[in-house]
Amino acid sequence: MLTQLITASIPSPANGVWHLGPFPLRGYALCIILGIVVAIWIGEKRWAARGGTIGEMQDVAIWAVPFGLVGARLYHVATDWKNYFGEGGDPVSALYVWHGGLGIWGGVALGAVGAWIGARRKGIKVLPMLDALAPGVLVAQAIGRWGNWFNQELYGKPTDLPWGLEIDKAHFSSSYEQQLYEAGTPLPDMATFHPTYLYEFFWNLAAFAVIIWLERRYRLGHGRVMAVYVMAYTAGRGWIEYLRIDDVQLDNVLGLRFNVWTSIVLFVAAAAYFLWSLRHRPGREESVYVDERISEVETDVSTAEKTATDDSDVTDEASTSD
């Protein structure tokens, strides 16, 4: 039994694409889509609990999702541009999102722009909207990481731990192959690596639970839920990114990967905003709508009540006449 445990490992799928007739069904895309659906569902529940109207987060998502996907791809291509526009690169493949390669911070940045546009069109305050959506984004990221498992990508350093992830030779990174070459070791058909997708999956779910607890315990508002999301995610992403050996262009920026530096900078920025907001905007927003939207709603309610009263008076007069 002990021998079986020691030699255990996590297998990778032999195929991440299935065909329904002429249509390819990709595991990576399914994980992304499922994550988006779950994030919107959680966002709707949280928005209603904050006093918003069900359906509004779906309207915001119509803007946020496409902006986010474009931003995520742009970030990936910008930080690994040589793979697409360098010598021997294929510029057209920059459009092949299904092959993997979505930078979360580009997705968050442009996704927030799309969400801002959607919120403005609906008369929604941006900060409570971001607070409502942020925890669900963590769950979406957790689900989306399974797409890396289907693609056999973004794994960590070699390991012989029982939960090592099996990667076949066709998906070895060039840095790992270089290590073996320098050591005079022939390439094996399969090797085991740290399953960084799984580490991030569990980290994100744990961060989701912590954020929900903190929000309920301290009634976080004014964007502080979003700030805690950024701090929680970057804290995990920093050490997980440090484990990775996948081929990236900016793998040594002052001794660290570019994404590690990004995590450090964003963590500090989010912490600074949290402290500033706590001091200057304590408590939570009373309303999730801008003043103009509130006035319109109150006017509509007053009109409806007046109409109902007039109809009632007409009915009473008709009854008296009869």
Side-chain angles (χ1 to χ4, degrees):
M1 184 70 178
L2 181 59
T3 303
Q4 292 178 346
L5 179 62
I6 293 174
T7 58
S9 58
I10 302 172
S12 288
N15 184 23
V17 183
W18 307 273
H19 288 84
L20 299 178
F23 302 104
L25 195 62
R26 302 179 185 276
Y28 184 88
L30 289 176
C31 291
I32 298 298
I33 293 170
L34 178 59
I36 291 171
V37 171
V38 171
I40 294 173
W41 180 77
I42 293 174
E44 289 283 13
K45 295 290 185 181
R46 290 174 49 76
W47 183 245
R50 286 293 305 273
T53 303
I54 289 289
E56 287 180 332
M57 291 302 97
Q58 297 177 46
D59 295 336
V60 169
I62 292 174
W63 291 90
V65 170
F67 271 70
L69 290 175
V70 171
R73 188 59 176 176
L74 286 175
Y75 182 91
H76 167 73
V77 173
T79 53
D80 282 294
W81 63 269
K82 285 185 179 179
N83 292 333
Y84 306 100
F85 304 103
E87 184 178 353
D90 180 14
V92 177
S93 64
L95 302 175
Y96 298 166
V97 179
W98 54 89
H99 287 173
L102 294 175
I104 181 60
W105 295 121
V108 170
L110 269 192
V113 172
W116 176 80
I117 294 173
R120 294 277 293 181
R121 291 171 62 89
K122 299 291 292 184
I124 293 171
K125 290 182 179 178
V126 174
L127 291 181
M129 176 203 64
L130 292 178
D131 283 345
L133 291 175
V137 173
L138 268 174
V139 178
Q141 290 173 248
I143 296 171
R145 278 302 171 202
W146 285 89
N148 303 140
W149 178 66
F150 281 108
N151 282 359
Q152 294 195 47
E153 62 183 1
L154 303 185
Y155 46 83
K157 299 174 182 178
T159 182
D160 57 1
L161 290 170
W163 56 84
L165 175 66
E166 298 176 5
I167 299 294
D168 61 51
K169 182 165 59 176
H171 294 88
F172 287 167
S173 68
S174 62
S175 60
Y176 177 64
E177 292 180 353
Q178 182 65 25
Q179 279 183 358
L180 295 181
Y181 174 77
E182 292 175 354
T185 305
L187 287 179
D189 292 330
M190 183 273 294
T192 55
F193 302 82
H194 280 284
T196 49
Y197 82 93
L198 195 59
Y199 297 164
E200 190 166 327
F201 171 77
F202 286 121
W203 180 275
N204 287 350
L205 292 185
F208 169 80
V210 169
I211 290 174
I212 296 300
W213 178 82
L214 286 173
E215 182 186 28
R216 291 176 178 175
R217 175 69 176 80
Y218 298 104
R219 286 183 56 81
L220 301 178
H222 297 286
R224 288 190 287 277
V225 176
M226 183 68 181
V228 175
Y229 152 73
V230 174
M231 287 188 285
Y233 179 71
T234 53
R237 180 63 184 269
W239 69 265
I240 292 172
E241 185 76 25
Y242 190 74
L243 285 175
R244 288 180 178 168
I245 60 169
D246 50 295
D247 300 320
V248 293
Q249 186 175 326
L250 302 174
D251 64 342
N252 189 350
V253 179
L254 300 178
L256 295 174
R257 284 188 165 203
F258 179 76
N259 282 334
V260 175
W261 282 116
T262 301
S263 294
I264 293 171
V265 171
L266 289 175
F267 181 93
V268 172
Y273 173 79
F274 184 92
L275 295 175
W276 177 88
S277 175
L278 197 61
R279 180 177 180 180
H280 293 88
R281 295 181 177 181
R284 178 187 283 183
E285 300 91 342
E286 292 297 326
S287 172
V288 296
Y289 297 109
V290 298
D291 294 340
E292 292 83 357
R293 169 74 181 272
I294 295 172
S295 299
E296 291 176 3
V297 172
E298 290 176 345
T299 300
D300 291 341
V301 171
S302 298
T303 301
E305 290 176 348
K306 184 177 184 303
T307 301
T309 301
D310 292 343
D311 290 343
S312 177
D313 292 341
V314 171
T315 302
D316 292 341
E317 290 177 2
S319 298
T320 301
S321 176
D322 291 343

